[in-house]
Amino acid sequence: MEKLIIKGGVPLTGEIKISGAKNAALPILAASLLSGAPIQLSNIPHLQDVTTIVSLLGQMGVNITLDERSNIEVQAASLTSFHAPYELVRTMRASVLVLGPLLSRFGEAQVSLPGGCAIGTRPVDQHLKGMQAMGAEISIENGYIKAKAKRLHGATIVMDLITVTGTENIMMAAALAKGQTIIHNAAREPEVEDLANFLNVLGAKISGAGTSTIVIDGVDELGGGSYHVLPDRIETGTYLAAATVTRGRIKVKNTRPDLIESILLKLEETGAHIDTGTDWISLDMKGNRPRSVNISTAPYPAFPTDMQAQMMAVNAVGEGSGVITETVFENRFMHVQELLRMGADITLKGNSAVCNGTDKLHGAPVMATDLRASASLVLAGLAAKDETSIDRIYHIDRGYECIEEKLTQLGARIHRIPSESKQ
Ligand code: EPU
């Protein structure tokens, strides 16, 4: 297993480009199962999770071609399998996104139940409930979701809670269903809207995506088309937070400030000076230590749970104390134990983390437990004195494209080593 070695204490400065959004690319790739025609996708990030979904599609018989500029052409003319095996789903829960498209276009799917993960139990009951309302017969056998349907029909679905991939799965299933589906209490995340925009390019009839009521008028078939995936708002926020913890000054390009208003407001509260254009954001700490902030995570447009761990690193080095409350996942504080090893002062009280900031964070060997937790440790390492080594960084490769290269471009001292080798 590889490690990241970081020598902290350098204020980040410079410019980087933001990649395409992981959490839009994954459902869009899954949605390509809904059409037999060729689809060209651009701004797909180079990430382990993308490789996982591409191999899943490949195993099902989808034709996939990558060109040298990392555009992907996908064509699911016919499939040889409707099966998403445990071995793949276990490594990436988003594999469950093939359920809706398979059921809708081919009338059958066997998808492994994802099981628990490092950030919570994460059931998929809402995905199944929605598809059952549309006429699917679903059973759970030997750890697999087995779903069948002659042709799904439209339905009015009220989600019991806001779920991003749940909304996406039902929206994809409804795209080829007979009649109209209405999803109430839908997730409003920009990635849900991006998926709807993509499906509409292929000929779907979806309106209201980005609001809490989505209306899908089912069509008989979808065609081909080209689509450019939206920028990654969490990657954007992570680099801005990295500049904040290091008291730096950076500009991120190829991004969308309108997608991260809640994050920008919190960063401003820390003392960051922020400027934006249509596709760029600059952040300048003017050499000052950030102030700690209070945050409560919630579905979009509120503060995203996927930025909670990174803001914990900001509070760890911030002036004063801040309370971070996690309301989306029940177990998303695994990074706290690791930050304590670096000298942070954080106390967990139920789903809140009370942090008294210190300007004496020190390097330590730490272990990544999930994707965003690993980003938090990278940020802490960049701010800390001395050297931090982060183990199990395969987590970070799931969601951050070329992270060492981008941070090196911003002046960070960071490199990757194989676990066993001496530094
Ligand atoms: N939930 C249920 N039942 C369901 C579905 C969800 O109880 O059927 C619960 C979950 O356990 C959780 C809450 O609802 O407590 C919200 O979960 P959601 O379904 O929205 O999460 P997700 O769709 O599995 C996506 C992102 C996550 C991100 C969350 C929340 C993708 C591929 N993943 O997950 O991204 O944290 O939404 O915004 O879109 C990440 O990128 O690091 C990541 C974990």
Side-chain angles (χ1 to χ4, degrees):
M1 259 183 272
E2 295 173 324
K3 287 185 185 182
L4 277 180
I5 307 293
I6 301 173
K7 292 192 171 80
V10 181
L12 297 188
T13 52
E15 293 186 359
I16 48 160
K17 280 187 185 162
I18 294 303
S19 303
K22 165 179 87 77
N23 289 347
L26 297 176
I28 284 173
L29 280 161
S32 65
L33 287 167
L34 284 164
S35 165
I39 295 165
Q40 296 81 31
L41 300 172
S42 52
N43 210 25
I44 297 278
H46 277 274
L47 297 171
Q48 188 51 45
D49 274 7
V50 169
T51 308
T52 304
I53 199 143
V54 164
S55 34
L56 176 57
L57 297 178
Q59 278 183 24
M60 291 176 175
V62 178
N63 244 318
I64 299 164
T65 333
L66 283 150
D67 76 9
E68 63 288 350
R69 295 172 61 216
S70 71
N71 298 321
I72 297 189
E73 179 161 309
V74 194
Q75 186 169 12
S78 61
L79 291 197
T80 50
S81 149
F82 309 107
H83 181 78
Y86 177 62
E87 295 67 47
L88 280 180
V89 180
R90 159 175 89 90
T91 62
M92 189 188 68
R93 300 179 48 86
S95 313
V96 78
L97 285 165
V98 298
L99 181 64
L102 285 178
L103 189 59
S104 191
R105 176 154 167 237
F106 301 97
E108 70 169 291
Q110 296 96 40
V111 177
S112 171
L113 272 173
C117 78
I119 61 176
T121 50
R122 303 182 78 182
V124 291
D125 56 301
Q126 297 300 307
H127 304 227
L128 306 188
K129 199 178 112 178
M131 290 179 214
Q132 277 166 332
M134 297 167 72
E137 282 174 34
I138 297 181
S139 59
I140 307 290
E141 289 171 38
N142 308 108
Y144 276 79
I145 305 163
K146 298 206 167 170
K148 272 195 163 44
K150 281 218 173 63
R151 183 175 179 192
L152 293 176
H153 55 73
T156 295
I157 296 161
V158 182
M159 309 296 281
D160 292 338
L161 48 83
I162 296 175
T163 154
V164 176
T165 50
T167 303
E168 291 166 346
N169 231 340
I170 294 169
M171 191 163 81
M172 291 187 283
L176 293 180
K178 193 170 170 53
Q180 187 175 74
T181 299
I182 302 177
I183 310 174
H184 291 292
N185 201 23
R188 290 181 281 166
E189 269 64 8
E191 293 76 20
V192 174
E193 196 177 344
D194 209 42
L195 173 64
N197 291 342
F198 164 68
L199 289 169
N200 285 341
V201 165
L202 304 188
K205 293 205 167 89
I206 303 175
S207 59
T211 77
S212 54
T213 303
I214 303 178
V215 179
I216 306 115
D217 286 300
V219 295
D220 289 338
E221 61 174 16
L222 294 178
S226 302
Y227 197 74
H228 189 81
V229 172
L230 95 170
D232 198 312
R233 65 195 164 98
I234 305 300
E235 190 199 18
T236 305
T238 301
Y239 284 104
L240 294 176
T244 305
V245 290
T246 59
R247 310 181 190 188
R249 179 161 65 94
I250 69 164
K251 183 173 184 181
V252 289
K253 299 195 295 192
N254 288 21
T255 188
R256 294 241 324 252
D258 59 310
L259 303 180
I260 60 164
E261 277 171 6
S262 63
I263 301 173
L264 296 180
L265 287 170
K266 276 298 157 194
L267 291 171
E268 274 178 339
E269 245 181 88
T270 72
H273 297 261
I274 291 175
D275 261 331
T276 60
T278 39
D279 64 351
W280 59 266
I281 304 167
S282 69
L283 179 146
D284 189 355
M285 289 305 288
K286 305 220 185 262
N288 295 322
R289 183 177 169 192
R291 290 189 291 274
S292 296
V293 286
N294 297 328
I295 292 175
S296 185
T297 66
Y300 194 84
F303 194 90
T305 172
D306 289 346
M307 273 300 294
Q308 177 258 106
Q310 300 86 318
M311 292 308 288
M312 194 77 75
V314 173
N315 276 0
V317 300
E319 216 175 306
S321 47
V323 181
I324 297 187
T325 303
E326 171 60 54
T327 76
V328 180
F329 291 109
E330 68 271 31
N331 186 29
R332 210 176 193 180
F333 281 141
M334 303 284 274
H335 42 287
V336 168
Q337 291 307 321
E338 302 300 304
L339 292 172
L340 294 182
R341 306 189 64 250
M342 300 177 70
D345 174 1
I346 306 171
T347 313
L348 289 179
K349 290 188 181 154
N351 66 342
S352 292
V354 183
C355 183
N356 297 312
T358 170
D359 59 358
K360 296 196 171 45
L361 220 54
H362 50 75
V366 290
M367 198 171 71
T369 48
D370 71 72
L371 169 57
R372 308 305 170 185
S374 47
S376 161
L377 300 179
V378 169
L379 266 53
L382 292 169
K385 292 196 173 60
D386 312 322
E387 186 173 288
T388 297
S389 72
I390 308 178
D391 207 346
R392 305 207 174 167
I393 53 159
Y394 54 86
H395 288 292
I396 210 157
D397 295 328
R398 294 187 49 196
Y400 290 92
E401 182 174 62
C402 303
I403 187 158
E404 307 100 276
E405 287 83 348
K406 289 189 186 186
L407 285 172
T408 303
Q409 207 173 318
L410 296 174
R413 293 176 295 181
I414 180 169
H415 66 280
R416 187 180 286 245
I417 54 161
S419 230
E420 291 74 25
S421 81
K422 301 217 162 53
Q423 296 156 33

